[in-house]
Amino acid sequence: METNNHIYSNDDITVTFEPCICVHAEKCAKELSDVFRTSIIPWINLDATETKKIVNQIKRCPSGALKYHLNNKKRAC
């Protein structure tokens, strides 16, 4: 069975989740449950806290199933 990657984005950050490599340690949900919610769809809510906290949590993902990149903000001239 093929499982597609999931992409979540807001103005500041884009987060990808690769379910096929996730080891389900649940560090993300246990340590930052406002963002990584196991019982609500969509399960990642990037607007629930500061981008810095999300980045720090993603860096603790033991499997590397969560990845991120910061979005370029357009500036008015």
Side-chain angles (χ1 to χ4, degrees), residues 17-26 28 43 61-66:
F17 171 62
E18 298 178 56
C20 289
I21 64 171
C22 182
V23 296
H24 302 285
E26 297 183 6
C28 56
W43 81 276
C61 178
S63 66
L66 290 168

Side-chain angles (χ1 to χ4, degrees), residues 13-59:
I13 188 171
T14 297
V15 174
T16 59
F17 171 62
E18 298 178 56
C20 289
I21 64 171
C22 182
V23 296
H24 302 285
E26 297 183 6
K27 285 182 69 78
C28 56
K30 290 176 184 171
E31 296 175 5
L32 197 59
S33 61
D34 289 344
V35 175
F36 302 99
R37 310 163 303 171
T38 58
S39 62
I40 299 172
I41 297 175
W43 81 276
I44 297 178
N45 178 12
L46 298 176
D47 296 323
T49 194
E50 303 167 14
T51 298
K52 182 178 178 180
K53 289 183 181 180
I54 296 169
V55 168
N56 288 337
Q57 188 62 50
I58 290 170
K59 289 179 179 179

